[in-house]
Amino acid sequence: MATLVASDVVEAREDRFDWFCETVSSRVMPVLLSSRHTADFRADVTELDLGVVRLSAVTCSPVSSRRTMTHVRRGDPEHLQLALLTRGAVRISQRGNESVVSGGLVLTDTSRPSEGACADGTLGSVVVQIPRRALALGPDRLDGLLARNLPAGTGSGAILADFMKSLLARAPDCRPEELHGLGAVTLDLATAFLARQLGDPGATPAEARDQETLQRIHRFVENNLGDPDLTPRAIADRHNISLRRLHALFGDQPLSVAAHIRRSRLERARTDLARAELSGHPVQEIAARWGFASATGFSRAFRQAYGITPTEHRASAPDAPEAPAARRAQEPGTPRTPRRGARA
């Protein structure tokens, strides 16, 4: 979890509001902000990386925003933003819809112009940023929900709102792999909530249902990469589809099912090998953590994917400590350098 803009940092600057505007435009998306409180402006923005989605908490002095097509062309993360208003009230408009939201949820699309205004009091919100490609529901179907005051006090809205707030509070106690799993849960809850607002989710077109199934499979894979028994057959059985159907779902994907599992495991292991706090853990332990049963097979796959061995990657990490002699041993399956005086 990272704090992008902290109150004490903002207050230490004479150009606090201008600096806040620039930070939001460069780190979130281009937008025009204005406020009657520029002289005593306060802000705190925290962002949580959950893998498939991101969660942000924003608390700030009263502010108005305006995003035009010029801003969209300048920079568009192509996200749907589902915000829970935890403090204050905001008037928001987009795509011909306009609402005053206080304590509820509101959906906006970064690819469309929008306007928002909080006239009085401190504004507080928790926002889920969802890549459009990750949401099984077609964006055109969601147009009617944009800038509407969506219920957060009952049913799936209340469950989603409580989960968002709890996740933000408990995130510092979670490991990165746990947060990525919780990101998948967040996306599922948000999808279920939005589908409920649209009516019967069973009315989703076949193509969208296939996309939803594929997204569920991707999230299942991400949450079970450490299981050495994660195979295409296990995935098909878990989702009650045939193996042929599973391969058909991946027909338009860049990688096959097995290749996607292998690449995802390698990426997780590669990240862990570069983490300073894990520098004392053997390469084989990290490989096993991400489902590689064979240390030799892991080293071979790693070198094929990245052109270097796991140990070389670890040593090249920016925060890598001086490696002790014992850890400079080469990967299993690669020739060892003969000791001086020993026969080759």
Side-chain angles (χ1 to χ4, degrees):
M1 183 162 62
T3 299
L4 303 182
V5 181
S7 297
D8 55 348
V9 176
V10 176
E11 291 176 358
R13 301 181 63 99
E14 293 182 0
D15 59 341
R16 62 185 71 175
F17 181 70
D18 291 340
W19 182 68
F20 172 75
C21 293
E22 177 59 30
T23 300
V24 171
S25 289
S26 61
R27 297 292 297 268
V28 182
M29 62 181 181
V31 63
L32 177 64
L33 300 176
S34 59
S35 176
R36 293 181 298 174
H37 300 266
T38 56
D40 58 347
F41 192 81
R42 296 173 61 87
D44 193 292
V45 182
T46 301
E47 188 173 71
L48 184 62
D49 183 2
L50 301 176
V52 66
V53 300
R54 302 184 80 84
L55 191 71
S56 302
V58 182
T59 304
C60 65
S61 300
V63 66
S64 297
S65 67
R66 186 165 182 261
R67 181 165 163 83
T68 65
M69 279 307 301
T70 299
H71 293 116
V72 173
R73 286 191 291 269
R74 190 183 306 163
D76 182 14
E78 297 186 355
H79 285 174
L80 290 164
Q81 297 182 332
L82 187 57
L84 170 67
L85 270 294
T86 57
R87 187 174 178 181
V90 61
R91 180 182 296 276
I92 191 160
S93 61
Q94 187 173 55
R95 194 70 174 173
N97 302 329
E98 183 173 327
S99 302
V100 176
V101 183
S102 176
L105 288 152
V106 61
L107 181 71
T108 54
D109 186 343
T110 66
S111 299
R112 268 88 177 259
S114 62
E115 292 190 20
C118 171
D120 300 303
T122 300
L123 176 66
S125 64
V126 182
V127 186
V128 181
Q129 301 176 54
I130 308 171
R132 191 178 293 107
R133 57 178 174 75
L135 195 66
L137 305 170
D140 291 342
R141 299 186 66 219
L142 295 170
D143 281 355
L145 299 182
L146 297 177
R148 279 182 49 192
N149 190 355
L150 304 176
T154 60
S156 57
I159 294 172
L160 174 60
D162 289 345
F163 184 79
M164 289 166 63
K165 290 183 287 188
S166 177
L167 183 55
L168 191 69
R170 303 295 182 185
D173 301 325
C174 297
R175 299 188 302 273
E177 57 268 26
E178 290 180 298
L179 291 177
H180 279 226
L182 292 170
V185 176
T186 306
L187 179 58
D188 283 342
L189 289 174
T191 302
F193 169 72
L194 293 173
R196 180 69 184 86
Q197 304 308 306
L198 290 170
D200 181 11
T204 306
E207 183 179 346
R209 288 199 299 271
D210 286 349
Q211 184 66 20
E212 184 177 5
T213 300
L214 186 60
Q215 291 299 335
R216 285 205 315 269
I217 290 171
H218 276 298
R219 294 195 292 273
F220 177 78
V221 169
E222 290 297 309
N223 293 338
N224 292 276
L225 289 172
D227 183 357
D229 295 326
L230 181 68
T231 62
R233 169 59 67 186
I235 294 170
D237 291 345
R238 175 65 175 78
H239 292 83
N240 299 311
I241 60 176
S242 67
L243 193 58
R244 180 178 179 180
R245 175 68 175 144
L246 175 65
H247 288 304
L249 286 171
F250 273 78
D252 294 331
Q253 299 294 297
L255 299 173
S256 67
V257 187
H260 173 69
I261 295 171
R262 182 170 59 253
R263 172 62 70 164
S264 297
R265 283 171 166 164
L266 286 170
E267 285 296 318
R268 294 293 185 86
R270 183 169 178 257
T271 298
D272 279 359
L273 287 168
R275 291 169 58 188
E277 65 270 26
L278 297 179
S279 61
H281 295 249
V283 169
Q284 183 173 351
E285 177 186 317
I286 291 177
R289 179 183 188 183
W290 293 113
F292 289 96
S294 165
T296 302
F298 169 67
S299 294
R300 186 186 306 116
F302 194 97
R303 187 161 197 164
Q304 287 175 347
Y306 305 115
I308 59 175
T309 68
T311 295
E312 289 169 341
H313 169 66
R314 168 176 268 178
S316 67
D319 298 327
E322 285 295 326
R327 206 159 61 233
R328 286 199 295 266
Q330 293 172 301
E331 266 68 10
T334 60
R336 294 181 179 275
T337 302
R339 295 189 307 274
R340 185 174 298 177
R343 289 186 296 176

